[in-house]
């Protein structure tokens, strides 16, 4: 595979915003690689820094992006959905009064009834309460895994891109190795030996397989940013490595990482549900959409409602994060203005 | 060209060793195959030690790995714990998954590129917007949800297809599972070819082709499509490996006895030779598919030359 972030391969890039292009065997985990690459190329030149125009208030890339985002309906809808999801994952009692683990077998697989709009599952648990409480596990895994992968990936990728040399070569080869392992397969092997019932092994695994993707993006955008004149100027003025990295390179290289991380958050949630569905992700008593869907799947002919509600909630959550990432990418890509 | 291929093949070696060693490490160091062999019973220490010696499990991990790889290159993938040679399992599983992958790739190419071309040529119109929204929704719904939904609707409720696949798995029964497996990638192919087409449609060579009076059909197929397909081909190439390894969920839903099914059973039962053997083959398939894609670039775009 050609190195995607080598400038020499520019003519091969789709070069523009919308397409989503996974590159590794990770499939859905590798959403939005190409657009981020096109971002990092354009951002290098015409981003940030005080704009010209002596009378005008200087506008940075970020304030420009914010101006555009505020008027984008996709951004508003998806961020409202995410805000709602975050609130109910912190305080599920706000909209669900019951206890998700309080079940009554005599009501097994009953349809909806007043006070229990989504009906009951096989164990006689209230599907509505479980769907609401299931948000917590998904959001926790998604947010923690993304933060971990973004931190590790941008740190390693950024350092490799900034210093180059053998560390850079080593990092690229290690990333290649991780891309060679199918994600679901790695998850099955790695997580089937873990016995913990918390969310942390799942988070750890996703970080382990997720960081190389972000590292590639971060490395590419740091390489582009450090070639800019103002960075050379800073070096000529005697700035140290840490000052150059933090004040000059990082602010101009972070945008593609943010975009990829936002979209990856949605796919990580889907990945967690897939692993839970296969029986190696989260485990009871953790309430998780993946587990509920897996339990409901065998009964789909008798009681489809048990599957449809958690599946719908899961899909909407993933959709919200992918839409948010799409909107942020559009706002941060100066070429689309 | 020849030198390029050789260089690429050499570059594959460290990635191959790294990936297989990582899986080998996970399977053999994290789990205990001998304990798994005895199920719930505690193994007799003497017997366990004997089995360990027979299976090379008493050696340090790197020696086990070297021994295993040596065996593989002599065509010996070891024996699954039920006494069946792993190669026999592969012979029954890989053709099934290969057929499933072919069906999936077929739909990806035909539907994905068609939709992408249509929406790319009408950028910003209602067709384009609805295709974009549709692909976003398809990407958001996880495979296991679409799988069960389509199986329920087509297989059970309306009875158009058999809900599960028979052990022979002929092409006819693999259409629905193939679509389910392809759906997410299909959405990516659509978005990718849409972007690529929409960008190239403004290119000078397209204007020239139109100006010299070529029929629209020829402009689109010969000039526009051929130049726009490179990112799509990259994606489909890397997807072959992902589809074969990622079929675990689909094969489980439709009860297909392919690679994913065998791997899932192997992992659940801690059947290490099966897992490592299958994954090794999958990694090779993935690497070769990537090489093939890079060589295809030169066919699609004659400007690209490999020295």
């Amino acid at each position: 595979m050609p190195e995607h972030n080598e400038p020499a391969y520019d003519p091969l890039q789709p070069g523009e915003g919308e397409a989503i292009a996974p590159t590794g065997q990770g499939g859905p985990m590798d959403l939005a690689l190409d657009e981020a690459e096109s971002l990092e190329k354009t951002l290098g030149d015409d981003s940030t820094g005080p704009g010209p125009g002596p009378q005008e208030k200087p506008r940075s890339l970020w304030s420009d992006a914010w101006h555009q985002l505020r008027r984008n309906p996709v951004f508003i809808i998806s961020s409202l959905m995410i805000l709602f999801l975050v609130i109910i994952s912190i305080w599920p009692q706000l909209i669900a009064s019951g206890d998700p683990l309080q079940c009554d077998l005599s009501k097994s697989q009953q349809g909806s009834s007043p006070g229990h709009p989504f009906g009951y599952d096989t164990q006689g648990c209230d599907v509505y309460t479980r769907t609401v409480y299931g948000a917590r596990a998904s959001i926790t895994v998604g947010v923690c895994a993304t933060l971990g992968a973004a931190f590790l990936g941008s740190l390693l990728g950024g350092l490799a891109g900034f210093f180059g040399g053998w560390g850079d070569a080593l990092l690229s080869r290690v990333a290649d190795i991780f891309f060679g392992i199918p994600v679901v397969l790695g998850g099955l092997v790695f997580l089937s030996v873990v016995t913990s019932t918390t969310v942390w092994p799942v988070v750890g695994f996703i970080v382990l397989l997720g960081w190389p993707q972000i590292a590639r993006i971060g490395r590419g955008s740091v390489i582009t940013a450090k070639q800019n004149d103002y960075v050379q100027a800073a070096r000529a003025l005697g700035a140290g490595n840490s000052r150059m990295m933090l004040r000059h390179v990082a602010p101009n290289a972070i945008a593609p990482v943010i975009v990829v991380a936002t979209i990856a958050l949605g796919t990580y949630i889907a990945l967690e549900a897939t692993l839970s569905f296969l029986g190696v992700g989260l485990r009871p008593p953790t309430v998780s959409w993946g587990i509920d869907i897996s339990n409901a799947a065998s009964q789909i002919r008798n009681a489809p409602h048990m599957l449809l509600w958690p599946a719908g909630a899961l899909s909407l959550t993933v959709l919200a994060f992918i839409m948010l990432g799409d909107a942020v990418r559009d706002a941060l890509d100066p070429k689309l203005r | 060209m020849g030198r390029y291929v050789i260089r690429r093949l050499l570059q594959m070696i460290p990635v191959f060793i790294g990936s297989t060693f990582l899986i080998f490490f996970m399977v053999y160091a994290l789990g205990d195959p001998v304990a798994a062999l005895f199920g719930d019973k505690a193994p007799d220490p003497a017997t366990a030690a004997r089995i360990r010696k027979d299976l090379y499990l008493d050696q340090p991990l790197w020696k086990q790995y070297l021994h295993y790889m040596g065996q593989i290159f002599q065509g010996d993938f070891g024996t699954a714990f039920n006494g069946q040679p792993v190669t026999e399992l592969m012979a029954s599983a890989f053709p099934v998954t290969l057929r499933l992958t072919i069906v999936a790739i077929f739909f990806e190419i035909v539907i994905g590129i068609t939709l992408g071309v249509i929406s790319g040529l009408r950028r910003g119109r209602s067709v384009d917007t609805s295709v974009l929204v549709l692909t976003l929704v398809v990407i958001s719904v996880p495979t296991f949800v679409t799988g069960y939904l389509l199986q329920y609707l087509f297989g059970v409720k309306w009875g158009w297809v058999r809900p599960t696949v028979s052990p022979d798995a002929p092409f006819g029964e693999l259409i629905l599972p193939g679509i389910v497996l392809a759906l997410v990638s299909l959405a990516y192919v659509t978005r990718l070819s849409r972007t690529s087409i929409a960008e190239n449609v403004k290119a000078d060579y397209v204007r020239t082709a139109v100006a010299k009076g070529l029929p629209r059909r020829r402009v689109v197929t010969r000039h526009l499509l051929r130049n726009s397909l490179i990112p799509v081909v990259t994606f489909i190439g890397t997807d072959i490996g992902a589809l074969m390894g990622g079929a675990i969920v689909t094969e489980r839903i439709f009860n297909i006895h392919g690679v994913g099914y065998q791997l899932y059973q192997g992992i659940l039962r801690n059947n290490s030779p099966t897992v490592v053997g299958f994954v090794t083959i999958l990694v090779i398939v993935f690497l070769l598919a990537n090489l093939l894609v890079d060589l295809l670039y030169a066919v699609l775009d004659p400007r690209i030359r490999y020295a």
Side-chain angles (χ1 to χ4, degrees), chain A residues 7-233:
Chain A
Y9 275 93
D10 269 2
L12 303 187
Q13 294 296 326
E16 188 229 325
E18 255 89 15
I20 293 178
T23 51
Q25 218 168 350
M29 261 179 84
D30 298 327
L31 273 156
L33 275 187
D34 274 333
E35 65 238 25
E37 279 153 20
S38 72
L39 257 185
E40 76 210 15
K41 254 165 258 139
T42 39
L43 280 179
D45 306 325
D46 39 11
S47 68
T48 63
Q55 280 90 17
E56 269 179 46
K57 192 168 166 261
R59 284 176 69 177
S60 68
L61 170 78
W62 302 101
S63 72
D64 257 0
W66 175 236
H67 268 275
Q68 200 189 343
L69 277 180
R70 271 190 314 196
R71 266 177 254 112
N72 187 347
V74 174
F75 173 75
I76 295 170
I77 294 172
S78 58
S79 39
L80 284 179
M81 278 165 73
I82 290 168
L83 189 69
F84 174 73
L85 284 166
V86 169
I87 290 176
I88 66 162
S89 62
I90 300 175
W91 300 288
Q93 311 84 311
L94 284 180
I95 56 167
S97 51
D99 178 349
L101 300 176
Q102 195 74 50
C103 309
D104 183 356
L105 257 184
S106 66
K107 292 177 178 156
S108 175
Q109 299 190 8
Q110 276 182 17
S112 72
S113 57
H116 302 280
F118 294 179
Y120 297 89
D121 68 7
T122 309
Q123 299 295 325
C125 310
D126 182 33
V127 174
Y128 173 73
T129 314
R130 284 188 74 86
T131 306
V132 171
Y133 274 79
R136 178 179 284 173
S138 288
I139 298 287
T140 313
V141 170
V143 170
C144 294
T146 309
L147 287 180
F151 176 74
L152 197 65
S154 51
L155 187 73
L156 292 178
L159 288 178
F162 189 80
F163 290 111
W166 62 267
D168 186 24
L170 186 71
L171 184 99
S172 301
R173 293 290 84 75
V174 172
D176 276 350
I177 290 173
F178 278 96
F179 275 109
I181 298 176
V183 176
V184 177
L185 208 64
L188 274 173
V189 174
F190 186 76
L191 293 170
S192 61
V193 290
V194 177
T195 47
S196 156
T197 54
T198 60
V199 298
W200 303 113
V202 181
V203 171
F205 168 74
I206 298 180
V207 170
L208 186 72
L209 280 203
W211 73 264
Q213 180 199 7
I214 299 199
R216 270 192 183 181
I217 301 295
R219 170 181 174 275
S221 66
V222 163
I223 287 178
T224 320
K226 81 169 179 187
Q227 284 158 354
N228 282 329
D229 290 344
Y230 54 81
V231 180
Q232 303 304 330

Side-chain angles (χ1 to χ4, degrees), chain B residues 10-90:
Chain B
L10 287 178
Q11 277 175 357
M12 277 181 189
I13 294 172
V15 177
F16 173 78
I17 293 175
S19 304
T20 47
F21 185 75
L22 207 60
I23 286 287
F24 194 86
F25 172 77
M26 282 183 185
V27 172
Y28 278 90
L30 297 180
D32 185 356
V34 176
L37 202 56
F38 283 84
D40 294 335
K41 286 181 288 181
D44 169 38
T47 321
R50 176 73 192 278
I51 295 174
R52 269 181 219 283
K53 193 163 165 42
D54 285 350
L55 295 177
Y56 264 80
L57 293 176
D58 54 346
Q59 306 283 336
L61 197 68
W62 63 271
K63 264 193 185 163
Q64 290 182 37
Y65 177 76
L66 285 184
H67 172 72
Y68 182 81
M69 281 298 148
Q71 298 279 57
I72 276 192
F73 283 106
Q74 293 162 29
D76 178 10
F77 279 81
T79 320
F81 287 157
N82 63 358
Q84 219 179 347
V86 175
T87 37
E88 215 169 86
L89 280 179
M90 286 179 179

Side-chain angles (χ1 to χ4, degrees), chain A residues 241-272:
Chain A
N241 274 335
S242 59
R243 187 182 168 86
M244 289 211 322
M245 270 191 281
L246 293 176
R247 297 295 299 274
H248 298 278
V249 173
N252 295 302
I254 199 86
V257 173
I258 290 178
V259 170
V260 175
T262 316
I263 298 184
L265 210 165
T267 59
Y268 290 167
I269 289 177
L271 179 66
E272 176 269 308

Side-chain angles (χ1 to χ4, degrees), chain B residues 1 30 59 87 106 113 125 161 170 172 207 217 221 233 251 264 302:
Chain B
M1 188 76 172
L30 297 180
Q59 306 283 336
T87 37
F106 172 79
I113 295 184
R125 310 254 193 90
V161 291
R207 202 187 311 144
R217 208 189 151 71
T221 52
V233 167
E251 293 193 353
Y264 188 64

Side-chain angles (χ1 to χ4, degrees), chain A residues 1-2 4 9 12-28 31 34 173 176-182 184-186 188-190 192-193 205 208 267 270 273-274 277-280 290 293-294 297 300-301 304 307-308 311 314-315 318-319 322-323 326 329 336, chain B residues 4 8 14-15 18-19 22-23 26-27 30-31 123 132 136-137 139-142 144-145 148-149 151-152 156 163 184 188 191-192 194-196 198-199 230-231 234-235 238-239 241-242 245-246 248-249 252-253 263-264 267-268 270 275 279 282-283 286 290-291 294 297 301 304 306:
Chain A
M1 220 166 72
H4 274 275
Y9 275 93
L12 303 187
Q13 294 296 326
E16 188 229 325
E18 255 89 15
I20 293 178
T23 51
Q25 218 168 350
L31 273 156
D34 274 333
R173 293 290 84 75
D176 276 350
I177 290 173
F178 278 96
F179 275 109
I181 298 176
V184 177
L185 208 64
L188 274 173
V189 174
F190 186 76
S192 61
V193 290
F205 168 74
L208 186 72
T267 59
T274 307
F277 166 77
L278 289 172
V280 295
I293 294 169
S294 171
I300 187 169
R301 291 165 205 203
L307 186 137
L308 294 181
L314 172 65
S315 307
V318 178
L319 183 67
I322 292 183
M323 271 168 35
D326 247 22
R329 185 207 52 223
L336 292 179
Chain B
Y4 175 78
R8 283 295 311 265
V15 177
S19 304
L22 207 60
I23 286 287
M26 282 183 185
V27 172
L30 297 180
R123 185 163 196 195
L132 274 188
L136 212 55
V137 171
I139 291 172
S140 308
V141 184
F144 58 99
V145 174
Y148 277 115
L149 266 185
Q151 184 189 37
Y152 175 66
V156 181
V184 173
Y188 291 138
R191 298 189 72 137
L192 211 53
R194 170 191 173 273
T195 310
S196 190
E199 188 184 335
I230 284 184
T234 316
F235 174 76
T238 49
D239 206 37
I248 293 181
V249 174
R252 198 175 160 210
I253 293 174
L263 270 171
Y264 188 64
I267 290 165
L268 287 193
N270 226 325
V275 177
V279 173
L282 284 178
V283 170
F286 176 69
N290 273 332
L291 176 66
D294 284 354
Y297 283 162
D301 189 343
I304 299 173
Y306 295 117

